[in-house]
Amino acid sequence: MTDPKSFLTSIFNAAVAAADPEKTIRNHLPAKPKGRTVVIGAGKGSAQMAAAFEKVWDGPIDGLVVTRYGYGARCERIEIIEAAHPVPDAAGLEASRRLLEKVRGLTSDDLVVALISGGGSALLPSPAPGLTLADEIAVNEALLASGAPIAAMNTIRKHVSTIKGGRLAAAAHPARVVSLVVSDIPGDNPALVASGPTVPDTGSRADALASIAAYGMKLPASVMAHIQSPAADAPRLDDPRFGGNEVHLTASAGVSLEAAAAEAKRQGIEAAILSDAIEGEAREVGGVHAAIAREVATRNRPFAKPVLILSGGETTVTLRAKGKGGRNSEFLLAFAIGIDGVNGIDALAADTDGIDGSENNAGAFADGSTVARMRAAGVDAKAMLAGNNAWTAFSAVGDLFVPGPTGTNVNDLRAILVR
């Protein structure tokens, strides 16, 4: 293995390719309707999903999809709107209004195809009556800083919205709604991807309030008053408006991890998948992964060398300071500290959508020399970790991973090569 970074990059590319929209959507095309076909969508991979749908759908369509700034794709019949992520903005507010308007007035002969991927929660601000965009922004900022798992975050989001929690599909009734979902949620519950604009779930106001209390979130008084009122209740699973709808999971972390493992084996390296649904504080998960890698490197257990250790899921970061970074770089900085001085370990942690947190990198690379190289560059790795400043630490040693937007989003990929 002369170039571990190239090897790890090829593993990332294989994982992303397994979630390629054109390949996956083709296998889940709905039956054609008697009436119109309207395509809607939201998420960091939804513009590419829309472009893919245009290629494989044999029939007239029109539609509207919202994605993150810089994540657009060329479409001929489906309009692409770009808006802010991870904190909502006015462009997202207008996109939500137009999406709701797009599906109103349809008939039972019409079909709505919803292209949903991770990131849609921030891209679809649509405040409940009595709330404002500023309230939704405050909620989002509190959620991002809380350290709460994504399922809890999205349960809260859907109770302050007029579009999430199945409400977009309810607005399309009596048209049939077919949701094609790329999951970035541990456990792959499609109702939690993008806070489920077209898919209801069982999460209740009580669940939302319990999470707010458990994670010590400070939300605006207007938001708390709304969530505590019956007006916040989301549509239930047994709501007749969802009776004829379909939901298809077109791509997930599990499928992408299998593809990554297959690519490693093709290159002569056995792979071990720990889990596709790992959650928890990023720095703590990083420490556990470091302990496993050290055990393999020094004792050849629980896996025999050489081996590629893979995991997926979505960790969280409880903000303690205002540094630069994201959950993957924070995970990897803790991992680098945990393997400091150990030879034969190389790792990549990256978000499969191409963006990790606040900057333009998907994640970073690390090995047993990372902390020492940071020290030589005048960077204290532990101080950077304490300050949520992992991006700055990896930037100082040239180890950021910047593939650009990938067109999909199946959560985080952690790949650890022990030679």
Side-chain angles (χ1 to χ4, degrees):
M1 182 66 61
T2 57
D3 188 358
K5 282 187 178 180
S6 293
F7 170 76
L8 292 169
T9 298
S10 74
I11 297 302
F12 176 86
N13 291 340
V16 168
D20 177 75
E22 189 170 341
K23 185 186 306 180
T24 58
I25 283 176
R26 190 183 297 275
N27 298 328
H28 297 280
L29 292 178
K32 292 181 182 177
K34 294 180 182 178
R36 296 172 57 198
T37 300
V38 178
V39 178
I40 58 174
K44 287 185 279 187
S46 293
Q48 285 75 14
M49 295 172 75
F53 190 85
E54 282 193 346
K55 288 182 180 179
V56 300
W57 183 255
D58 180 20
I61 55 172
D62 69 282
L64 177 69
V65 163
V66 57
T67 191
R68 189 184 197 269
Y69 289 124
Y71 277 51
R74 183 179 296 277
C75 291
E76 296 178 1
R77 292 167 289 172
I78 301 170
E79 182 182 355
I80 307 297
I81 295 179
E82 297 184 4
H85 179 282
V87 178
D89 70 353
L93 185 68
E94 175 64 8
S96 295
R97 185 194 68 76
R98 291 188 59 198
L99 279 171
L100 285 165
E101 188 64 29
K102 195 79 176 175
V103 300
R104 290 193 174 111
L106 298 177
T107 74
S108 57
D109 287 335
D110 297 325
L111 168 68
V112 174
V113 179
L115 307 175
I116 307 298
S117 61
S121 294
L123 294 166
L124 291 178
S126 187
L131 302 181
T132 66
L133 176 60
D135 289 325
E136 277 218 45
I137 290 172
V139 169
N140 232 52
E141 290 176 339
L143 292 174
L144 292 171
S146 70
I150 190 65
M153 291 169 65
N154 286 358
T155 297
I156 294 167
R157 283 169 167 145
K158 77 173 192 174
H159 285 95
V160 297
S161 174
T162 62
I163 199 168
K164 302 179 177 78
R167 293 177 178 88
L168 183 55
H173 182 77
R176 182 168 62 103
V177 179
V178 176
S179 299
L180 305 182
V181 180
V182 174
S183 174
D184 68 335
I185 298 290
D188 294 332
N189 180 354
L192 293 177
V193 179
S195 301
T198 58
V199 185
D201 77 342
T202 58
S204 66
R205 280 192 296 123
D207 296 327
L209 290 166
S211 292
I212 291 168
Y215 292 94
M217 298 179 199
K218 304 298 183 185
L219 303 183
S222 56
V223 171
M224 292 302 299
H226 176 75
I227 297 179
Q228 289 166 345
S229 74
D233 287 330
R236 295 171 53 88
L237 282 168
D238 58 1
D239 190 311
R241 290 175 294 180
F242 304 121
N245 294 352
E246 300 174 20
V247 181
H248 301 281
L249 195 68
T250 64
S252 68
V255 171
S256 286
L257 285 175
E258 292 288 353
E263 175 60 21
K265 191 167 186 177
R266 188 189 70 80
Q267 296 190 45
I269 303 292
E270 291 297 322
I273 298 174
L274 299 181
S275 171
D276 66 357
I278 292 177
E279 297 181 278
E281 193 69 24
R283 63 183 64 192
E284 295 172 3
V285 176
V288 171
H289 279 63
I292 294 171
R294 285 198 315 268
E295 190 74 9
V296 175
T298 59
R299 298 182 178 176
N300 216 35
R301 67 184 190 192
F303 313 113
K305 298 179 289 186
V307 65
L308 181 69
I309 302 169
L310 295 166
S311 74
E314 183 167 331
T315 61
T316 50
V317 174
T318 302
L319 290 179
R320 298 162 173 85
K322 293 186 177 180
K324 292 183 178 181
R327 61 182 183 263
N328 284 285
S329 52
E330 179 140 329
F331 161 92
L332 202 64
L333 185 54
F335 177 88
I337 292 168
I339 63 162
D340 184 23
V342 181
N343 294 324
I345 302 175
D346 297 271
L348 167 65
D351 195 319
T352 53
D353 64 22
I355 292 291
D356 181 44
S358 62
E359 306 306 313
N360 69 341
N361 63 310
F365 296 99
D367 58 37
S369 72
T370 296
V371 171
R373 287 186 288 114
M374 288 177 178
R375 190 180 305 115
V379 172
D380 183 331
K382 290 184 178 179
M384 289 291 171
L385 182 61
N388 299 120
N389 211 5
W391 181 92
T392 301
F394 285 110
S395 178
V397 293
D399 278 344
L400 294 173
F401 176 55
V402 189
T406 65
T408 191
N409 184 12
V410 289
N411 228 311
D412 301 334
L413 173 73
R414 296 175 284 270
I416 302 165
L417 174 64
V418 186
R419 293 177 276 132

